[in-house]
Amino acid sequence: MSVSQPTVIAIAGAAGVGKTTWVRQQLSQATGDRFYFCPGVGNVPIDLTQIMSEFPTIQVLTEQQEVYQLSAQATVYIELGFHLDLASASGFLDAVAAKRVAVLPLGAEKSDWHDWADQVVEGATIANWVEPSHLQRAVLTGQVFDPASLNLFWFELTEAAYGQICRAKGIFDLVDGRAVCFDFVSGLSGSTYTELNLHRWLDGRPERFSGIEVVGQAADQAAIAQTLADCDLSDAAIAHYQAQLKQSLGTEEAG
Amino acid sequence: MKLAVISCIHGNSAALDAVLSDIDHHHAEQIYCLGDLVGYGPDPNAVVETIRALAIPTCQGCWDEDIVVGLDACECSYPSLLAERRGKLAHAWTSQAISPETREFLAQLPLSLRLDNLCFVHGSPNSQHEYLLPEMDESIALERVMTAGAEVLFCGHTHIPYVRTFEDSHVPVHRIINAGSVGEPRHGRPNATYVLYETETQQVTLREVEYDYQATCAAILAKGLPPIFAWRLARGLEFAERADDPTHICDR
């Protein structure tokens, strides 16, 4: 690698094994200019949104060409989704002299990721992992949920009411203005629920990204979509709750 | 006398038939029913026909009232928007499925029944819609029993059976006995629940009865009710509603 190139680290691995978790750990320790690139994310940038809320100063790349323009002081983390073809990314990764890190379960059988990686990092050990056969992604921007409905949906989703699920991750806007990230991996105990470090949205339907990604086997996509639609609060209900919250928050601040 | 108390059948005739067989096996002399004959389940008319044919004294449940007079819910009826939408869907389906005879029968059901020092209600003496949860404040719960003028208050509505005894408060001892649910259990298993009660000894037996819940699940799908109702029934999760707030006082 020439001295003028940035440090590039590419991360790959199975769904739910902990790629984003590993990147977040690295970002929390890294110094200097930090960049994040998640190719193929399309219009459902769940991991990107989560990382940006946790690391507001991180700079996000949207095109691989941008990597070539970075200085040697920059560190770029490229997270490759499990559904991407590793071979198709090889040319670019070679060109930028990327270090290849595969996040894999402890004791994972020999796989393409082993052959691809310069370094294997131990990720989550997932019991009873089932090879996924479909990926469902949906933008939920503008939808607002009451927590009880969202919990009910998430419980049913992760308990296989709509088909066997391997992995589910979503960012949802709640009626109290907060945005939360729900994260589920089959075989790990329970889901994780994280509030994102974003401002409370109390002025109508949020104009920021929210969405869901479900990886599974023969999941009923229509039923998932319909249930999410059934959870969406009406404009009138949102306005009512937001007015109450503004009044309550204003009272607290005044007090 | 040995009594059997059943509640919350919710249009599940397979569960009702299994419970009636179990009651026969235990030689109960009288059956009381605490209502919610219809709603969510696929066989509302068949359930009502069975109750009528056996002349089982029955009080009116919240669903029985709603089907007759229309929805007018307090917030406790629907703890979430999703539960509300599912409940309304089930209400619309049930309303078009029941016969005029079924509707007429549900309309004339009394709000409570009495047998000596025993009182039978669906939710509470105040309302068919009020939940007497086992964690409810003791003074409020005891007040409900006293309001009924009874020593033992039988109720349902929560779909989870329990016995609550007010040992220190009064002599004679007052009790709330919740019969659980025949057709829409919420205790984490698909089995039907009901209660046996010996009037002489005051002995209470909570019964849990296995039945062919898959037949009910198949009927739910065949009749066009939402598949999620079948999924929840098979897991003893109740179809849509949850009552989790013991501090809530129903204001319907």
Side-chain angles (χ1 to χ4, degrees), chain A residues 146 148-149 152 155-156 159-162 229-232, chain B residues 79-83 85-86 228 231-232 235 237 240 242:
Chain A
D146 67 293
S149 291
L152 185 57
F155 171 79
E156 291 174 351
E159 290 291 322
Y162 310 108
D230 286 343
C231 292
D232 187 18
Chain B
S80 71
L81 178 63
L82 185 55
R85 287 192 167 150
R86 288 173 175 173
I228 194 68
W231 184 84
R232 297 187 69 85
R235 285 152 186 80
L237 293 173
R242 298 181 306 162

Side-chain angles (χ1 to χ4, degrees), chain A residues 94-232:
Chain A
D94 287 341
V96 295
K99 178 182 179 183
R100 303 175 184 203
V101 176
V103 184
L104 299 172
L106 180 64
E109 292 180 11
K110 186 80 171 167
S111 67
D112 290 344
W113 282 306
H114 288 89
D115 296 333
W116 172 86
D118 300 316
Q119 178 188 355
V120 173
V121 172
E122 181 185 335
T125 301
I126 305 168
N128 307 315
W129 175 256
V130 180
E131 200 60 36
S133 61
H134 93 268
L135 167 65
Q136 178 179 3
R137 310 172 90 196
V139 176
L140 302 175
T141 299
Q143 290 196 31
V144 177
F145 299 90
D146 67 293
S149 291
L150 185 58
N151 285 335
L152 185 57
F153 162 73
W154 194 258
F155 171 79
E156 291 174 351
L157 176 72
T158 58
E159 290 291 322
Y162 310 108
Q164 199 65 43
I165 299 299
C166 309
R167 174 90 168 101
K169 193 168 187 178
I171 289 176
F172 307 98
D173 271 305
L174 302 181
V175 69
D176 64 3
R178 292 178 300 151
V180 292
C181 181
F182 285 16
D183 194 347
F184 167 82
V185 180
S186 175
L188 299 183
S189 61
S191 294
T192 60
Y193 309 92
T194 312
E195 181 180 345
L196 298 186
N197 181 30
L198 300 174
H199 76 277
R200 276 194 167 194
W201 196 289
L202 295 177
D203 292 302
R205 292 190 178 275
E207 296 170 6
R208 64 187 176 197
F209 167 76
S210 61
I212 188 170
E213 179 175 294
V214 177
V215 180
Q217 286 196 321
D220 186 342
Q221 299 190 32
I224 292 171
Q226 182 60 56
T227 307
L228 282 165
D230 286 343
C231 292
D232 187 18

Side-chain angles (χ1 to χ4, degrees), chain B residues 109-236:
Chain B
L109 292 173
L111 296 182
S112 65
L113 296 164
R114 291 298 299 258
L115 176 68
D116 301 326
N117 62 342
L118 313 179
C119 181
F120 306 86
V121 299
H122 177 70
S124 92
N126 287 359
S127 164
Q128 307 102 301
H129 299 264
E130 182 170 84
Y131 291 94
L132 296 186
L133 294 168
E135 307 87 358
M136 189 180 201
D137 180 81
E138 182 168 347
S139 62
I140 296 174
L142 180 59
E143 187 273 334
R144 295 296 191 268
V145 187
M146 306 292 277
T147 297
E151 291 175 15
V152 180
L153 177 64
F154 289 92
C155 64
H157 194 36
T158 71
H159 293 208
I160 301 175
Y162 71 88
V163 178
R164 185 170 187 180
T165 303
F166 301 93
E167 296 279 6
D168 301 322
S169 301
H170 288 78
V171 178
V173 166
H174 290 75
R175 287 170 128 181
I176 293 175
I177 300 174
N178 190 303
S181 173
V182 170
E184 194 190 351
R186 201 197 155 200
H187 59 287
R189 294 180 292 279
N191 305 332
T193 59
Y194 77 99
V195 159
L196 291 169
Y197 182 75
E198 288 276 3
T199 57
E200 282 78 24
T201 63
Q202 292 87 48
Q203 182 184 356
V204 184
T205 306
L206 304 179
R207 293 287 304 159
E208 183 171 337
V209 180
E210 294 183 6
Y211 74 100
D212 185 5
Y213 64 87
Q214 294 291 6
T216 303
C217 291
I220 286 171
L221 299 178
K223 295 194 175 182
L225 283 158
I228 194 68
F229 289 4
W231 184 84
R232 297 187 69 85
L233 178 69
R235 285 152 186 80

